[in-house]
Amino acid sequence: MGPGSEQGSEGRSDAADVAIRRAASRPFLLRTEGIAAGYGDEAAFEEVSLEVFGREVVSLIGPNGAGKTTLLRCLAGILPLRQGRVEKAFGLRMSYLPQRLSFDRLLPVTVAEFLSLRLGRPFFRPGWAKQERVESLEELGVTSLLDRRLGELSGGERQRVFLAAALAKRPQLLLLDEPATGVDLLGAAAFDALLHRLRDRDGLGILLVSHDLHLVHHISDWVYFLNRRILASGPPKEVMREDQLAAAYQRFPHPG
Ligand SMILES: Nc1ncnc2c1ncn2[C@@H]1O[C@H](COP(=O)(O)OP(=O)(O)OP(=O)(O)O)[C@@H](O)[C@H]1O
């Protein structure tokens, strides 16, 4: 399964044309070449080559255990690679929001203190945030939480604070792992609006891991289908045709 294979007028495939247009119209952020990683003797993924540019949402889809989270953790520098290389734009600012952040509920810090710590800056107030163009604080509903203890927040509130902290670093590339899992982060419509704003207005590149195929189809500029290897890539309308997806999920059950 892959993007269209028809030949364009100059002998190049349509898929190649699409890929060239994608690269030509956006700033380069990150590229992997044949990377592999895993745990113990097991490879979680291998031979993964992908690219992310600015001003695009790139989604990583695939069945449970396909290696999606592991891949993001490698890109975030948390897990070492076993093979291949990652090339990044010079000075790339990158933020990573994991699926679950382990966190000590007893840690006696307020949200404002937590954000200050994460930012490495002395303090954090709405006025300061505005100055720094971190409007997302308002949008994420975090402004009203600044004086609350992090440990007493609900799961959804805390995820919003973590997302605010990730955005406050003003990343050019945002790695988001299943941002809607378990908690209703913002409500689907608000989350959708946030992703659009981050991409279209702020020019971020977003690498999104999600099982929400509806969201992925609608928001993504480019999709990689991963099951230990990249099995398909292209614009969502090419990669996510229902028949192809069904076949891919069946044809490539998780080998473990
Ligand atoms: N900390 C770990 N130690 C050992 N094996 C792990 C660890 N984390 C993940 N794995 C294994 O690595 C493989 C890939 O897992 P990963 O979490 O990357 O998949 P995923 O595509 O994100 O899955 P899901 O969609 O279920 O979240 C799986 O076989 C998983 O069991």
Side-chain angles (χ1 to χ4, degrees):
M1 174 174 87
S5 57
E6 293 156 38
Q7 295 294 303
S9 54
E10 289 163 24
R12 258 193 331 248
S13 72
D14 288 350
D17 281 340
V18 172
I20 288 167
R21 276 201 301 279
R22 175 192 180 209
S25 60
R26 298 176 165 104
F28 164 75
L29 294 182
L30 179 143
R31 173 179 302 124
T32 74
E33 281 172 21
I35 62 171
Y39 308 90
D41 295 335
E42 287 288 313
F45 65 83
E46 52 199 0
E47 289 178 34
V48 168
S49 298
L50 55 75
E51 291 179 304
V52 187
F53 296 91
R55 274 199 319 281
E56 69 172 4
V57 175
V58 176
S59 292
L60 205 51
I61 59 170
N64 293 130
K68 305 179 295 295
T69 293
T70 307
L71 179 51
L72 282 201
R73 297 183 75 211
C74 285
L75 297 181
I78 296 168
L79 266 184
L81 290 178
R82 291 183 173 174
Q83 259 176 5
R85 61 190 289 269
V86 178
E87 186 188 342
K88 292 177 191 162
F90 180 73
L92 179 70
R93 292 190 307 278
M94 187 163 65
S95 282
Y96 167 54
L97 186 69
Q99 201 170 358
R100 273 172 237 95
L101 253 179
S102 56
F103 161 74
D104 182 356
R105 286 192 85 91
L106 298 177
L107 201 68
V109 292
T110 65
V111 169
E113 286 162 351
F114 171 77
L115 289 171
S116 306
L117 281 172
R118 289 295 289 262
L119 285 170
R121 300 194 187 184
F123 211 57
F124 202 95
R125 286 283 132 197
W128 179 90
K130 218 167 227 137
Q131 191 191 332
E132 297 280 312
R133 292 192 286 135
V134 193
E135 298 91 343
S136 340
L137 273 194
E138 292 282 350
E139 199 171 345
L140 291 170
V142 167
T143 326
S144 60
L145 303 174
L146 285 175
D147 292 322
R148 300 268 304 278
R149 291 247 169 139
L150 197 56
E152 68 187 29
L153 299 184
S154 74
E157 288 169 337
R158 202 159 48 240
Q159 246 342 55
R160 281 190 271 134
V161 171
F162 291 147
L163 180 54
L167 291 176
K169 290 181 181 167
R170 304 190 61 197
Q172 297 154 301
L173 174 60
L174 182 63
L175 308 176
L176 281 180
D177 195 353
E178 283 289 352
T181 304
V183 288
D184 186 15
L185 184 66
L186 284 173
F191 182 64
D192 205 273
L194 176 70
L195 289 184
H196 273 103
R197 175 176 76 68
L198 292 173
R199 175 185 62 188
D200 301 336
R201 199 196 67 187
D202 301 343
L204 265 70
I206 299 168
L207 182 56
L208 173 73
V209 167
S210 180
H211 284 287
D212 182 344
L213 296 185
H214 179 72
L215 170 75
V216 167
H217 191 279
H218 144 87
I219 191 92
S220 306
D221 299 284
W222 201 261
V223 176
Y224 290 99
F225 181 94
L226 178 75
N227 195 358
R228 300 210 169 196
R229 293 164 189 244
I230 302 283
L231 301 179
S233 68
K237 66 178 186 333
E238 302 283 348
V239 174
M240 299 181 72
R241 283 179 20 210
E242 230 169 83
D243 52 331
Q244 291 190 331
L245 271 188
Y249 273 85
Q250 273 166 16
R251 242 188 315 142
F252 302 104
H254 182 254

